Amino acid sequence: MQPVVHFKNVNKVYGTLAAVENLDLAIAPGQFVTLLGPSGCGKSTTLRMLGGFEDVTSGEIYLDGKPISHLPPNKRNVNIVFQDYALFPHLTVARNIAFGLELKGMEREAIHRRVTELLTLVALQDYAGRMPDQLSGGQRQRVALMRALAPDPNVLLLDEPLSALDAKLRQQMQIELKSIQQTTGKTFLFVTHDQEEALTMSDVIVVMNKGRIEQMGGPDELYARPRSRFVADFIGQSNFLEGRVVSVSDPVATIDWQGNSVHADVNGTSPAPGARATVALRPEALYCLPGKPEGRLALKGRIGRRVFKGAHTSLDVTLENGASLLVQLDPVALSHIEGDEVWVGWRERDAVLLAD
Ligand code: ADP
Ligand code: MG
């Protein structure tokens, strides 16, 4: 299938700063794609180049197979929603949504039908005559979204649209945004620095770091199989065991970590015996046993800090070798207390090798 958006070797340089470097990214139609990364990694720049608000320094962007880098924003069939989604304060909800359609010269009847259809989609059909200041924050957000969707753009660009909302409303809007995307079948390109938000909504997450793509994939894939330390650390939390490769029997590598033989999935990397290697382990993949288990690797340690977090409890376990591991346990099952001696173990398949 032809990608709806295709960045081919796109670069953006500000003075001496490479804000976006060698970006190659193809987006399939109808997907919810999220650019995720820390502040300053080039997410907004990428979005703004696609929207036409920023020139590319080199490379080309294609929309439905046609190069668009030379076109002004109003000649590109994309639309953008920002965090400060200012509605026109002097126009009703219906006129706000109709605005882009009137500009296009659409007929009154057709505009009315389209506005009604969009308001119904977000259950605001009874609010057509209200003014923006008579709406709640969540309702204003929905209207802004419908205003952006009204002209039927090929792609809807969303630059951290939820970051000004409080936590509860934000979670609610995440679910709603995803459901609107699924109902309309539109391609959404969403930007956030919040990994939980990205995991909640996306079909595909593109993790960016310093202007480059670190890794892209489905949320579960990125979480279970991070390729780099950056991704393993940015999405969720990870323990890192730094050691050396002893042997490889694809797909399992044996790593020497401070005198312990640790098995890990090679995870698409090509480990060479003798080379340095890092194994990533999710805190919730670890468990604690009161005694040494038979026939399985477990490392002896002592529980340091124990923090109750509601849905789970986290433990810092200091091992005999001086290293410490972060362990997350279900509080219901947890009987360990600070100072207890424990054996920390994990299932082999939960340990993955990183490429760097
Ligand atoms: P993000 O959206 O991921 O936080 P941006 O795309 O806004 O990051 O910025 C990427 C980098 O480019 C940052 O280092 C930022 O300071 C820089 N940058 C963005 N816009 C400009 C500009 N107009 N002039 C100079 N530098 C810019
Ligand atoms: Mg930004």
Side-chain angles (χ1 to χ4, degrees):
M1 204 185 323
Q2 172 166 285
V4 56
V5 172
H6 202 161
F7 291 86
K8 284 194 190 166
N9 200 21
V10 169
N11 289 273
K12 178 70 191 183
V13 179
Y14 293 112
T16 57
L17 175 84
V20 173
E21 263 186 289
N22 302 329
L23 180 71
D24 278 306
L25 174 62
I27 295 174
Q31 291 205 300
F32 197 119
V33 179
T34 299
L35 304 181
L36 171 68
S39 175
C41 73
K43 306 180 297 293
S44 294
T45 303
T46 301
L47 221 59
R48 292 170 59 77
M49 287 191 291
L50 176 55
F53 307 106
E54 205 71 76
D55 289 334
V56 303
T57 306
S58 64
E60 184 58 83
I61 305 173
Y62 298 83
L63 190 63
D64 275 338
K66 297 186 193 70
I68 57 163
S69 298
H70 59 290
L71 295 175
N74 61 352
K75 291 284 194 287
R76 303 177 184 204
N77 196 19
V78 300
N79 225 340
I80 191 159
V81 182
F82 297 103
Q83 179 192 315
D84 44 11
Y85 48 88
L87 295 173
F88 304 117
H90 57 290
L91 296 182
T92 62
V93 164
R95 295 278 323 276
N96 261 283
I97 297 174
F99 188 80
L101 305 177
E102 289 168 3
L103 278 186
K104 273 183 147 186
M106 197 190 252
E107 284 177 34
R108 280 181 70 93
E109 261 308 298
I111 291 180
H112 181 72
R113 275 199 305 275
R114 178 75 177 146
V115 170
T116 306
E117 177 196 358
L118 290 167
L119 282 175
T120 308
L121 185 65
V122 285
L124 287 176
Q125 58 273 35
D126 297 335
Y127 291 74
R130 294 251 189 131
M131 301 305 284
D133 65 1
Q134 296 172 303
L135 301 176
S136 72
Q139 289 168 336
R140 276 203 293 273
Q141 189 95 45
R142 290 180 187 96
V143 175
L145 198 61
M146 292 307 114
R147 183 176 64 179
L149 277 175
D152 205 25
N154 286 10
V155 191
L156 187 66
L157 312 179
L158 304 110
D159 196 350
E160 314 228 10
L162 308 181
S163 49
L165 306 177
D166 66 61
K168 258 274 179 319
L169 180 56
R170 183 172 179 165
Q171 282 173 356
Q172 196 184 321
M173 287 300 298
Q174 288 169 4
I175 304 295
E176 189 164 331
L177 210 54
K178 173 73 179 175
S179 135
I180 290 169
Q181 186 272 328
Q182 285 173 322
T183 310
T184 58
K186 279 279 140 207
T187 309
F188 278 29
L189 183 55
F190 186 90
V191 160
T192 184
H193 63 272
D194 182 326
Q195 48 103 14
E196 210 176 300
E197 189 159 285
L199 290 174
T200 304
M201 296 195 287
S202 317
D203 297 315
V204 175
I205 299 175
V206 181
V207 183
M208 292 183 72
N209 181 24
K210 297 181 183 155
R212 291 174 171 270
I213 295 180
E214 277 274 332
Q215 188 176 355
M216 63 185 279
D220 42 359
E221 179 192 347
L222 285 184
Y223 192 82
R225 293 280 176 263
R227 293 288 293 279
S228 65
R229 194 169 175 135
F230 179 85
V231 174
D233 212 24
F234 197 79
I235 300 181
Q237 289 178 294
S238 290
N239 292 291
F240 298 107
L241 315 185
E242 292 174 4
R244 273 190 196 278
V245 180
V246 176
S247 61
V248 183
S249 166
D250 207 14
V252 177
T254 303
I255 311 298
D256 174 64
W257 182 60
Q258 312 205 358
N260 301 292
S261 276
V262 175
H263 292 161
D265 190 298
V266 297
N267 192 27
T269 67
S270 327
R276 287 171 359 113
T278 303
V279 176
L281 271 172
R282 295 290 185 193
E284 71 275 16
L286 302 181
Y287 50 80
C288 290
L289 301 166
K292 184 173 172 36
E294 280 298 316
R296 267 182 297 163
L297 174 67
L299 304 170
K300 193 175 172 190
R302 197 171 285 285
I303 295 178
R305 206 157 40 97
R306 177 187 195 271
V307 183
F308 175 72
K309 301 226 173 148
H312 66 260
T313 292
S314 69
L315 306 174
D316 271 324
V317 180
T318 305
L319 304 178
E320 281 183 319
N321 62 18
S324 72
L325 292 175
L326 181 66
V327 183
Q328 267 180 18
L329 298 176
D330 180 348
V332 178
L334 180 65
S335 54
H336 311 289
I337 54 168
E338 284 175 11
D340 273 4
E341 189 178 279
V342 288
W343 293 80
V344 180
W346 58 86
R347 294 178 309 182
E348 245 170 50
R349 64 163 187 264
D350 289 330
V352 296
L353 213 57
L354 302 178
D356 55 35

